[in-house]
């Protein structure tokens, strides 16, 4: 293992030894190639550069206390990428190919998987891009699917803690029938301005309402939202949010812990009634929310300065499963290195 101060790493990019690539040409996927070059040799007219024909995924490899390395719900990431492919007319990457490439890239870079004690992990970034030279707006004929990895530090450096969010009414991340449910780079481009605005005002993240009526809760930046009240985990149902695998898992964990689960539209005013609230995604699992400000109405929805007991329980349980410390009764983890 590399001798690095893993715990001090941020969520940045660090060069590792290898990435894996697979090319789609003449209507089929080729062989998996191992590559040590960080750069792509890309045509300047590639569809990914001009028309956003690009999709990505994000998951992590965890070095566990039992010495094994596990990845979490890799088949779900493959399925979500397939859904994105159908959404923006790219050829699907099979679950088998996706999983094989994830395993391969993690094993090739095992020196770069941080220690368990550091709380850091190996972030895995699959990327699929249209590479054909084209100036007309059509789907590409050729594609490159690649996966690289980079060690990332622990999300909570000072321990599990809460952060403030701000509702942005003047910006939308995605339209009700747009690409919000697909993991494409364009959604992120659409969120940069509002995200920057939120940071400038001292908030951790921007909070979106549904684009059509500005009435219901959508997502927080690049994370799904949940609220908790009366022993019930409640998360938005919306056509413009990204189906988070963390959220899907937390819904199951909540049920396993004896909570009720509801997935339905959440009107903004309902925020007032939640005992706890949080953002969820692979990066943090849960990032508890201290308060959400609506600057237009002057309203502040508060959930306490510290993470609530149910958020803590959900967080500890999901992390315990990811690290092989709690029983994985739904078969969510895959051992990549034994
Ligand atoms: C990736 C992503 C999430 C989180 O999904 P996970 O699978 O839980 O990591 C949430 N919202 C957006 C917009 C995303 O791109």
């Amino acid at each position: 293992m590399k001798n690095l101060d893993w715990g001090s790493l941020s969520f940045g990019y660090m060069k590792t030894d290898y990435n894996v690539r697979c090319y789609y040409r003449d209507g089929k996927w080729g062989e998996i190639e191992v590559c040590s070059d960080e750069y792509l040799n890309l045509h300047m007219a590639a569809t990914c550069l001009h028309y956003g024909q690009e999709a990505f995924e994000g998951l992590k490899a965890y070095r566990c206390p039992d010495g094994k390395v596990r990845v979490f719900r890799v088949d779900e990431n493959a399925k979500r990428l397939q859904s994105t492919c159908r959404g923006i007319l790219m050829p699907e990457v099979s679950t088998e190919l996706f999983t094989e490439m994830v395993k391969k890239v993690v094993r090739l870079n095992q020196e770069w998987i941080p220690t368990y004690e550091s709380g850091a992990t190996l972030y895995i970034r699959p990327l699929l891009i249209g590479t054909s030279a084209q100036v007309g707006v059509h789907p590409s004929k050729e594609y490159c699917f690649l996966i690289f990895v980079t060690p990332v530090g622990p999300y909570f450096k000072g321990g599990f803690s809460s952060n403030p969010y701000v509702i942005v009414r003047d910006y939308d991340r995605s339209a009700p029938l747009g690409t919000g449910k697909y993991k494409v780079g364009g959604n992120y481009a659409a969120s940069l301005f509002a995200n920057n605005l939120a940071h400038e005002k001292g908030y951790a993240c921007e909070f979106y309402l549904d684009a059509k009526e500005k009435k219901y809760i959508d997502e927080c930046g690049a994370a799904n939202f949940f609220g908790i009240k009366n022993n019930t985990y409640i998360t938005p149902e919306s056509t413009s949010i990204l189906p988070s695998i963390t959220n899907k898992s937390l819904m199951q964990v909540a049920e396993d812990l004896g909570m009720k689960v509801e997935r339905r539209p959440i009107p903004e005013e309902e925020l007032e009634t939640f005992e706890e609230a949080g953002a969820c995604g692979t990066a943090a699992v849960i990032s508890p929310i201290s308060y959400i400000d609506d600057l237009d109405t002057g309203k502040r929805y508060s959930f306490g300065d510290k993470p609530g007991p149910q958020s803590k329980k959900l967080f500890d349980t999901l992390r315990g499963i990811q690290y092989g410390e709690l029983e994985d009764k739904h078969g969510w983890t895959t051992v990549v290195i034994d």
Side-chain angles (χ1 to χ4, degrees):
M1 211 182 306
K2 301 282 172 191
N3 187 16
L4 286 177
D5 181 8
W6 304 108
S8 71
L9 294 179
S10 61
F11 193 82
Y13 174 81
M14 177 184 288
K15 185 184 190 305
T16 55
D17 295 331
Y18 302 102
N19 57 84
V20 292
R21 305 181 184 194
C22 191
Y23 296 92
Y24 184 89
R25 296 188 188 107
D26 303 319
K28 57 179 189 301
W29 288 104
E31 297 297 314
I32 300 170
E33 298 174 19
V34 175
C35 189
S36 53
D37 190 356
E38 293 168 278
Y39 290 85
L40 293 159
N41 188 10
L42 193 63
H43 196 286
M44 62 186 175
T47 63
C48 63
L49 298 176
H50 299 261
Y51 305 126
Q53 225 194 359
E54 181 273 355
F56 69 98
E57 274 300 328
L59 63 160
K60 285 172 168 181
Y62 307 86
R63 197 181 284 283
C64 303
D66 63 3
K68 297 179 183 180
V69 174
R70 290 177 173 82
V71 293
F72 186 69
R73 305 196 80 173
V74 58
D75 55 321
E76 287 290 331
N77 288 97
K79 276 200 262 170
R80 187 169 65 191
L81 179 61
Q82 288 153 13
S83 158
T84 301
C85 287
R86 291 190 293 274
I88 63 166
L89 296 187
M90 303 200 285
E92 290 179 34
V93 175
S94 70
T95 304
E96 296 69 43
L97 178 60
F98 186 94
T99 307
E100 195 185 333
M101 285 176 69
V102 166
K103 286 181 177 168
K104 193 165 189 119
V105 75
V106 171
R107 287 174 186 150
L108 284 166
N109 293 290
Q110 50 184 290
E111 297 263 280
W112 296 97
I113 309 171
T115 59
Y116 166 70
E117 293 73 22
S118 67
T121 51
L122 188 72
Y123 184 73
I124 305 166
R125 169 53 61 89
L127 174 74
L128 173 58
I129 54 174
T131 54
S132 302
Q134 219 150 269
V135 283
V137 182
H138 305 287
S140 177
K141 289 187 181 64
E142 299 190 343
Y143 294 82
C144 171
F145 177 55
L146 72 84
I147 310 184
F148 68 78
V149 294
T150 192
V152 294
Y155 190 90
F156 296 103
K157 289 210 165 67
F160 196 48
S161 59
S162 303
N163 286 302
Y165 286 62
V166 63
I167 291 174
V168 289
R169 265 168 212 285
D170 297 342
Y171 305 91
D172 295 316
R173 187 189 76 95
S174 69
L177 301 176
T179 55
K181 58 182 178 293
Y182 306 126
K183 211 164 174 80
V184 296
N187 296 337
Y188 280 75
S191 75
L192 289 175
F193 195 93
N195 182 256
N196 186 246
L197 208 65
H199 287 159
E200 275 178 1
K201 292 180 194 281
Y203 296 96
C205 201
E206 78 280 19
F207 199 95
Y208 296 101
L209 299 178
D210 77 285
K212 194 171 177 182
E213 295 186 80
K214 299 276 174 186
K215 205 173 156 202
Y216 301 98
I217 303 303
D218 243 13
E219 269 196 271
C220 346
N224 277 187
F225 171 81
F226 69 86
I228 295 174
K229 64 175 172 189
N230 308 326
N231 200 35
T232 309
Y233 179 100
I234 307 167
T235 192
E237 169 108 82
S238 159
T239 54
S240 49
I241 65 182
L242 197 280
S244 154
I245 296 162
T246 313
N247 194 11
K248 185 174 182 180
S249 308
L250 286 171
M251 284 187 254
Q252 182 64 57
V253 168
E255 206 181 294
D256 294 347
L257 291 172
M259 298 173 73
K260 286 197 287 290
V261 175
E262 290 176 13
R263 195 155 157 259
R264 56 169 171 80
I266 302 175
E268 181 190 327
E269 312 77 68
E270 194 179 346
L271 288 175
E272 195 140 40
T273 66
F274 291 135
E275 298 149 15
E276 298 179 30
C280 61
T282 296
V285 175
I286 288 174
S287 182
I289 299 176
S290 48
Y291 57 85
I292 301 169
D293 279 345
D294 186 337
L295 299 178
D296 296 306
T297 63
K299 185 94 197 126
R300 171 169 292 184
Y301 305 98
S302 299
F303 312 103
D305 301 339
K306 292 201 184 67
Q310 309 213 72
S311 299
K312 179 89 174 61
K313 182 95 185 130
L314 290 164
F315 175 83
D316 288 342
T317 307
L318 193 54
R319 279 211 16 143
I321 297 170
Q322 289 171 335
Y323 280 96
E325 294 171 299
L326 294 176
E327 189 201 350
D328 177 18
K329 60 181 169 195
H330 303 288
W332 285 341
T333 61
T334 304
V335 173
V336 176
I337 301 172
D338 224 325

